[in-house]
Amino acid sequence: MEFDPVAADDFTSFKPGVVATRVKLEQLLTNIGGGGTGGTDFKNQALKMAGYKYDPIIGYAKHPDAAAEAFNKIRTAITETQEKDALLERLGS
């Protein structure tokens, strides 16, 4: 599965009719985590492992450079594996 790179301005702008790569990645992470609350928890854990140190309640637009860096790390790792534990292991290294 291919994903476009995530740029910092993706968090501060809106492009009508285009689903942002970070939204696609968030949806995929939630699905890998099992959906629902567990999926959301997994997504947040993956973001932390990828280096996004801010609380999930804080919007990505507040720290767009850090968010872009974390999502690009996830983008790279998720093309290598979509297995839950292996993905977290890749993000942690």
Side-chain angles (χ1 to χ4, degrees):
M1 188 173 292
E2 295 278 326
F3 294 99
D4 293 331
V6 178
D9 67 335
D10 292 345
F11 302 99
T12 57
S13 63
F14 176 72
K15 297 171 186 125
V18 177
V19 178
T21 298
R22 68 120 179 135
V23 172
K24 294 176 189 176
L25 289 169
E26 285 184 294
Q27 290 171 340
L28 183 54
L29 287 170
T30 300
N31 288 337
I32 291 170
T37 303
T40 300
D41 291 343
F42 176 76
K43 175 193 74 164
N44 292 335
Q45 182 181 10
L47 280 163
K48 270 203 186 304
M49 297 289 288
Y52 190 72
K53 62 184 177 181
Y54 304 99
D55 192 282
I57 197 97
I58 296 173
Y60 301 123
K62 185 127 177 143
H63 305 283
D65 292 325
E69 187 176 324
F71 274 104
N72 282 317
K73 189 171 182 182
I74 289 168
R75 182 178 65 88
T76 300
I78 221 163
T79 60
E80 297 168 0
T81 184
Q82 292 185 13
E83 196 278 317
K84 206 172 163 178
D85 293 330
L87 182 59
L88 290 178
E89 186 176 312
R90 287 184 195 274
L91 292 172
S93 61

